[in-house]
Amino acid sequence: MTDRDRVNILLVDDQPAKLLSLETIVASLGENILKASSAEEALHVLLANDIAVVLVDVCMPGMDGFELAEMIRGHPRFGRTAIIFISAVHLTDADRLKGYDLGAVDYIPVPIIPEVLKAKVAVFADLHRKTGQLKRLNQELEARVAERTAERERLAAIVEGSGDAIVSADLNGIIQSWNPAAEQLFEYPAAEALGKPINIIIPQTRMEEEPTIIQRVARGERVVQFQTERRSRSGAVVHVSLSVSPVFDTSGAIIGVSKIMRDISAARTASRERDRLLAVLEATPDFVATADASGNIRYMNPAARRMIGLTGGESAVGLPFESLYPPDVARFVRETAMPAAARQLTWEGETVIRSRNGEETPVSQVLIAHKGPSGDGPVEVFSTVARDITERRRAEAVLTRDRETLERLVAERTAELEASNERLRITDRMATIGTLSAGLGHDMGNLLLPVRMRLEAIESCNLPPAVQEDVSAIRKASDYLQRLARSLRLLAIDPEADAKENSTDLTSWWEDTEGMLRNGVVRPTILSGDFTGGGRGPLPPVRIGKAALTQIAFNIVQNAGDILRGREDGRVHVSAHALPGGEAVRLCIGDNGPGMTDETRRRCMEPFFTTKTRGLSTGLGLSLVSGLVKSNGGSIHIDSAHGRGTVFNITLPAAQSRQPGAESDLSTRGLAVVALTDARLSAHVSSVLASLSYDVRHEPLPADVAPAAPASDADVWITQAADDEDLRMVDGFASAHPRQRVIVFCPSQLSGQSAGPAPCPLRLDLRTRPSELRDRLRRELADVVFPASRTALPVT
């Protein structure tokens, strides 16, 4: 806390005007002002903040200022908080004494003199600030003392717990300190060694070293890791690594030396053992190398250097251990072999060593992880021994090749037999299904013929409207059954014989097969279709027979239905559009299922490949589809990804291809823009427009959005109005663009109203029956002739 740190001042008064007056007076002090309109609110503020001064009104409803002061003083946090009473009434001496007894430091009578109030508040605020500073300084001082004490204790603990002998002596060589490690190393108890000359542990042959060391340290130098000999009490020679540092007094003068002596007797013995082991490693014909924990090579014997192509004095020390292997093997060693060795202390397997010139040698390798002396902790060194297994690999390769050839021949013969049996079984079953489909289609057609004849006779009579509706419904049902009978007969025709001999009009084909295809999916899955051309003009016929096309679509739709089985939101959509140039048509069959994995998408056209578990699955459906498409000169592309469904894009050549340059000669009746919210109504309107040789462009209209005027190139605009305001907008557009024909769908209460002066849009009821709608559109648009300049409209 500094002199400029702001403190909190609490103002307590039940009158807002007085609170504002007090805040205005003390605000110039530059402190934080907190306010409370009651004693209870003041207690909440006190508990949440560190308050320096409390200005409180004596007379308040509920708990008065005296009671608040008593509660503040009763809390251990606020025993020294300054409380100043403000009173607008005359207080007796008894009241003042009571206030002082409760902890008040002063009284301010009303009317308040601002300078007096500010001066008193400033004094107590500054006192709180100074008190906080003193408290913080005292805490810092105590922390420093504790830190220094802990540091001395830590250093003492380090000296006492060190495994190295730590001895200090004055400049005359008299021992001043002697830690437990020194007692153990030199066999002198501390009580016996203290006060003795350091020479008691120096052999006679090393006496000349001590004066030189003392002189160097007296000049302020340090002696680091000086290897020498010392003598224990029993006379045994101890090999030590000696480090000597000066000891300073408080004035900085050198008053002695500190010696750290580490026993290196075992290290010297280990060094001799390492020398003998190194001689063995240098002579072995096997590949031997070591690396540190970071993966850098520390040692490599002559056989290893020869295997990687090092000559003369070249060395691999410091190179990455992974550089001994090809990249894929190096990754395996780094991610698998070395971690396994670290866990189990050893790993054994076969790898490949690569020389500097790229030659690779297969080896049988052992990888060993070396940890600390206790066997715990992290790995310190990796060592490896590898043996060339080139000749063994060659012999194994010959045996493997012969065995694989035999297994392949057996597998091929077995697969041929299984395929033959499967083809026979499927041929027999398909023949049965074809016979059944043909019989059902024939019988349904025979039964429907007299029904349709009687319907025509009934329809020629003058029937009441209610009966006409019933007859119309029966007519629709019989038409649907007739189309279903035709589609069943299509299943009985051999698709391969039919594929190249006929052409098919897609619109009429869809009308015939939609019912049969719809039964190929299980409810609640929905099958929908769009054969209006997608706004790209009428669909040309395709060069493939109806039976072959039906087999293609049925297999794909049935597979989609199986995938979507049990899903409430299942959708299968079939559509077609002409490709630019009119040379081909693309048939798209898509679903919103889970999609295919990459492997399934790659292999789904293979014979006998299937992901189904049902007993009826043969794995030949999509293989048949692929064969029929390709035999007709078409192609098939599958667009699928996990989680976003599957679309089969089937490209088929047009039965009557356009000649190059003919595109510019084509003309249409005009461009029709369809902007409707109902997808079914939009599709029906588009179908009628396409039959009238209009180019159709869809502009989706959300349900909650008003219709927007179409682009200026539109000849016909078919839109939708929800209310009078929408109708006025459409009427205004029609009046401003007399050349363009406008048709608007609207609710029944709006469609019957007067449309105003010509030109005006044709208003149709949203509930108009499809047959009536078709007739109205044809009457309105069939004879319309637009400017001859509108030819070959662009496809959008």
PDB file of all heavy atoms in Angstrom, residues 567-585:
ATOM      1  N   ARG A 567     -35.772 -45.010 -39.058  1.00  0.00           N
ATOM      2  CA  ARG A 567     -35.549 -43.584 -38.811  1.00  0.00           C
ATOM      3  C   ARG A 567     -36.801 -42.788 -39.133  1.00  0.00           C
ATOM      4  O   ARG A 567     -37.435 -42.977 -40.173  1.00  0.00           O
ATOM      5  CB  ARG A 567     -34.389 -43.068 -39.663  1.00  0.00           C
ATOM      6  CG  ARG A 567     -33.031 -43.466 -39.115  1.00  0.00           C
ATOM      7  CD  ARG A 567     -31.900 -42.857 -39.886  1.00  0.00           C
ATOM      8  NE  ARG A 567     -32.070 -41.418 -40.103  1.00  0.00           N
ATOM      9  CZ  ARG A 567     -31.089 -40.632 -40.513  1.00  0.00           C
ATOM     10  NH1 ARG A 567     -29.874 -41.134 -40.742  1.00  0.00           N
ATOM     11  NH2 ARG A 567     -31.279 -39.353 -40.711  1.00  0.00           N
ATOM     12  N   GLU A 568     -37.178 -41.884 -38.232  1.00  0.00           N
ATOM     13  CA  GLU A 568     -38.384 -41.090 -38.418  1.00  0.00           C
ATOM     14  C   GLU A 568     -38.209 -40.032 -39.503  1.00  0.00           C
ATOM     15  O   GLU A 568     -39.181 -39.601 -40.124  1.00  0.00           O
ATOM     16  CB  GLU A 568     -38.779 -40.410 -37.098  1.00  0.00           C
ATOM     17  CG  GLU A 568     -39.200 -41.385 -36.007  1.00  0.00           C
ATOM     18  CD  GLU A 568     -40.498 -42.111 -36.347  1.00  0.00           C
ATOM     19  OE1 GLU A 568     -41.306 -41.527 -37.099  1.00  0.00           O
ATOM     20  OE2 GLU A 568     -40.692 -43.242 -35.877  1.00  0.00           O
ATOM     21  N   ASP A 569     -36.979 -39.575 -39.731  1.00  0.00           N
ATOM     22  CA  ASP A 569     -36.736 -38.492 -40.680  1.00  0.00           C
ATOM     23  C   ASP A 569     -36.113 -38.990 -41.975  1.00  0.00           C
ATOM     24  O   ASP A 569     -35.463 -38.242 -42.701  1.00  0.00           O
ATOM     25  CB  ASP A 569     -35.821 -37.436 -40.061  1.00  0.00           C
ATOM     26  CG  ASP A 569     -34.461 -38.014 -39.681  1.00  0.00           C
ATOM     27  OD1 ASP A 569     -34.344 -39.250 -39.590  1.00  0.00           O
ATOM     28  OD2 ASP A 569     -33.526 -37.226 -39.490  1.00  0.00           O
ATOM     29  N   GLY A 570     -36.262 -40.288 -42.306  1.00  0.00           N
ATOM     30  CA  GLY A 570     -35.634 -40.843 -43.496  1.00  0.00           C
ATOM     31  C   GLY A 570     -36.174 -40.224 -44.780  1.00  0.00           C
ATOM     32  O   GLY A 570     -37.384 -40.058 -44.951  1.00  0.00           O
ATOM     33  N   ARG A 571     -35.272 -39.863 -45.707  1.00  0.00           N
ATOM     34  CA  ARG A 571     -35.654 -39.268 -46.988  1.00  0.00           C
ATOM     35  C   ARG A 571     -34.841 -39.908 -48.109  1.00  0.00           C
ATOM     36  O   ARG A 571     -33.625 -40.072 -47.981  1.00  0.00           O
ATOM     37  CB  ARG A 571     -35.381 -37.753 -47.001  1.00  0.00           C
ATOM     38  CG  ARG A 571     -36.173 -36.954 -45.963  1.00  0.00           C
ATOM     39  CD  ARG A 571     -37.636 -36.848 -46.370  1.00  0.00           C
ATOM     40  NE  ARG A 571     -38.362 -35.941 -45.493  1.00  0.00           N
ATOM     41  CZ  ARG A 571     -38.898 -36.276 -44.332  1.00  0.00           C
ATOM     42  NH1 ARG A 571     -38.760 -37.529 -43.896  1.00  0.00           N
ATOM     43  NH2 ARG A 571     -39.538 -35.387 -43.600  1.00  0.00           N
ATOM     44  N   VAL A 572     -35.524 -40.276 -49.198  1.00  0.00           N
ATOM     45  CA  VAL A 572     -34.864 -40.729 -50.427  1.00  0.00           C
ATOM     46  C   VAL A 572     -35.405 -39.865 -51.550  1.00  0.00           C
ATOM     47  O   VAL A 572     -36.637 -39.744 -51.715  1.00  0.00           O
ATOM     48  CB  VAL A 572     -35.130 -42.225 -50.713  1.00  0.00           C
ATOM     49  CG1 VAL A 572     -34.401 -42.643 -51.990  1.00  0.00           C
ATOM     50  CG2 VAL A 572     -34.675 -43.085 -49.540  1.00  0.00           C
ATOM     51  N   HIS A 573     -34.515 -39.234 -52.329  1.00  0.00           N
ATOM     52  CA  HIS A 573     -34.940 -38.295 -53.371  1.00  0.00           C
ATOM     53  C   HIS A 573     -34.340 -38.721 -54.697  1.00  0.00           C
ATOM     54  O   HIS A 573     -33.138 -39.000 -54.796  1.00  0.00           O
ATOM     55  CB  HIS A 573     -34.496 -36.877 -53.021  1.00  0.00           C
ATOM     56  CG  HIS A 573     -35.018 -35.843 -53.976  1.00  0.00           C
ATOM     57  ND1 HIS A 573     -36.337 -35.514 -54.045  1.00  0.00           N
ATOM     58  CD2 HIS A 573     -34.375 -35.081 -54.902  1.00  0.00           C
ATOM     59  CE1 HIS A 573     -36.504 -34.579 -54.970  1.00  0.00           C
ATOM     60  NE2 HIS A 573     -35.322 -34.303 -55.517  1.00  0.00           N
ATOM     61  N   VAL A 574     -35.205 -38.776 -55.743  1.00  0.00           N
ATOM     62  CA  VAL A 574     -34.786 -39.141 -57.095  1.00  0.00           C
ATOM     63  C   VAL A 574     -35.049 -37.937 -57.991  1.00  0.00           C
ATOM     64  O   VAL A 574     -36.159 -37.378 -57.979  1.00  0.00           O
ATOM     65  CB  VAL A 574     -35.556 -40.372 -57.616  1.00  0.00           C
ATOM     66  CG1 VAL A 574     -35.009 -40.810 -58.969  1.00  0.00           C
ATOM     67  CG2 VAL A 574     -35.469 -41.514 -56.611  1.00  0.00           C
ATOM     68  N   SER A 575     -34.030 -37.501 -58.770  1.00  0.00           N
ATOM     69  CA  SER A 575     -34.193 -36.355 -59.654  1.00  0.00           C
ATOM     70  C   SER A 575     -33.322 -36.545 -60.876  1.00  0.00           C
ATOM     71  O   SER A 575     -32.451 -37.421 -60.914  1.00  0.00           O
ATOM     72  CB  SER A 575     -33.812 -35.054 -58.925  1.00  0.00           C
ATOM     73  OG  SER A 575     -32.440 -35.084 -58.549  1.00  0.00           O
ATOM     74  N   ALA A 576     -33.578 -35.711 -61.885  1.00  0.00           N
ATOM     75  CA  ALA A 576     -32.786 -35.785 -63.112  1.00  0.00           C
ATOM     76  C   ALA A 576     -32.709 -34.403 -63.728  1.00  0.00           C
ATOM     77  O   ALA A 576     -33.621 -33.581 -63.578  1.00  0.00           O
ATOM     78  CB  ALA A 576     -33.408 -36.784 -64.092  1.00  0.00           C
ATOM     79  N   HIS A 577     -31.613 -34.129 -64.433  1.00  0.00           N
ATOM     80  CA  HIS A 577     -31.456 -32.889 -65.176  1.00  0.00           C
ATOM     81  C   HIS A 577     -30.510 -33.120 -66.343  1.00  0.00           C
ATOM     82  O   HIS A 577     -29.629 -33.983 -66.292  1.00  0.00           O
ATOM     83  CB  HIS A 577     -30.935 -31.764 -64.285  1.00  0.00           C
ATOM     84  CG  HIS A 577     -29.581 -32.024 -63.713  1.00  0.00           C
ATOM     85  ND1 HIS A 577     -29.411 -32.664 -62.486  1.00  0.00           N
ATOM     86  CD2 HIS A 577     -28.337 -31.767 -64.184  1.00  0.00           C
ATOM     87  CE1 HIS A 577     -28.126 -32.774 -62.243  1.00  0.00           C
ATOM     88  NE2 HIS A 577     -27.454 -32.245 -63.250  1.00  0.00           N
ATOM     89  N   ALA A 578     -30.716 -32.348 -67.387  1.00  0.00           N
ATOM     90  CA  ALA A 578     -29.866 -32.455 -68.573  1.00  0.00           C
ATOM     91  C   ALA A 578     -28.550 -31.752 -68.316  1.00  0.00           C
ATOM     92  O   ALA A 578     -28.503 -30.679 -67.696  1.00  0.00           O
ATOM     93  CB  ALA A 578     -30.581 -31.838 -69.776  1.00  0.00           C
ATOM     94  N   LEU A 579     -27.463 -32.344 -68.804  1.00  0.00           N
ATOM     95  CA  LEU A 579     -26.154 -31.734 -68.684  1.00  0.00           C
ATOM     96  C   LEU A 579     -25.969 -30.699 -69.786  1.00  0.00           C
ATOM     97  O   LEU A 579     -26.639 -30.766 -70.829  1.00  0.00           O
ATOM     98  CB  LEU A 579     -25.061 -32.799 -68.759  1.00  0.00           C
ATOM     99  CG  LEU A 579     -25.073 -33.823 -67.623  1.00  0.00           C
ATOM    100  CD1 LEU A 579     -23.921 -34.810 -67.772  1.00  0.00           C
ATOM    101  CD2 LEU A 579     -24.983 -33.133 -66.270  1.00  0.00           C
ATOM    102  N   PRO A 580     -25.085 -29.727 -69.594  1.00  0.00           N
ATOM    103  CA  PRO A 580     -24.857 -28.709 -70.630  1.00  0.00           C
ATOM    104  C   PRO A 580     -24.537 -29.352 -71.969  1.00  0.00           C
ATOM    105  O   PRO A 580     -23.756 -30.292 -72.065  1.00  0.00           O
ATOM    106  CB  PRO A 580     -23.672 -27.917 -70.070  1.00  0.00           C
ATOM    107  CG  PRO A 580     -23.766 -28.087 -68.598  1.00  0.00           C
ATOM    108  CD  PRO A 580     -24.289 -29.474 -68.395  1.00  0.00           C
ATOM    109  N   GLY A 581     -25.163 -28.828 -73.044  1.00  0.00           N
ATOM    110  CA  GLY A 581     -24.954 -29.381 -74.363  1.00  0.00           C
ATOM    111  C   GLY A 581     -26.011 -30.393 -74.748  1.00  0.00           C
ATOM    112  O   GLY A 581     -26.143 -30.745 -75.921  1.00  0.00           O
ATOM    113  N   GLY A 582     -26.788 -30.901 -73.806  1.00  0.00           N
ATOM    114  CA  GLY A 582     -27.846 -31.843 -74.098  1.00  0.00           C
ATOM    115  C   GLY A 582     -27.385 -33.215 -74.522  1.00  0.00           C
ATOM    116  O   GLY A 582     -28.171 -34.022 -75.023  1.00  0.00           O
ATOM    117  N   GLU A 583     -26.087 -33.546 -74.369  1.00  0.00           N
ATOM    118  CA  GLU A 583     -25.575 -34.839 -74.792  1.00  0.00           C
ATOM    119  C   GLU A 583     -25.872 -35.950 -73.793  1.00  0.00           C
ATOM    120  O   GLU A 583     -25.779 -37.126 -74.137  1.00  0.00           O
ATOM    121  CB  GLU A 583     -24.052 -34.749 -75.005  1.00  0.00           C
ATOM    122  CG  GLU A 583     -23.635 -33.761 -76.070  1.00  0.00           C
ATOM    123  CD  GLU A 583     -24.012 -34.228 -77.466  1.00  0.00           C
ATOM    124  OE1 GLU A 583     -24.215 -35.442 -77.626  1.00  0.00           O
ATOM    125  OE2 GLU A 583     -24.100 -33.394 -78.378  1.00  0.00           O
ATOM    126  N   ALA A 584     -26.149 -35.593 -72.559  1.00  0.00           N
ATOM    127  CA  ALA A 584     -26.346 -36.606 -71.525  1.00  0.00           C
ATOM    128  C   ALA A 584     -27.293 -36.073 -70.465  1.00  0.00           C
ATOM    129  O   ALA A 584     -27.542 -34.867 -70.370  1.00  0.00           O
ATOM    130  CB  ALA A 584     -25.014 -37.014 -70.903  1.00  0.00           C
ATOM    131  N   VAL A 585     -27.801 -36.999 -69.660  1.00  0.00           N
ATOM    132  CA  VAL A 585     -28.699 -36.673 -68.554  1.00  0.00           C
ATOM    133  C   VAL A 585     -28.122 -37.285 -67.291  1.00  0.00           C
ATOM    134  O   VAL A 585     -27.586 -38.400 -67.318  1.00  0.00           O
ATOM    135  CB  VAL A 585     -30.116 -37.229 -68.808  1.00  0.00           C
ATOM    136  CG1 VAL A 585     -31.011 -37.007 -67.595  1.00  0.00           C
ATOM    137  CG2 VAL A 585     -30.723 -36.585 -70.041  1.00  0.00           C
TER     138      VAL A 585
END
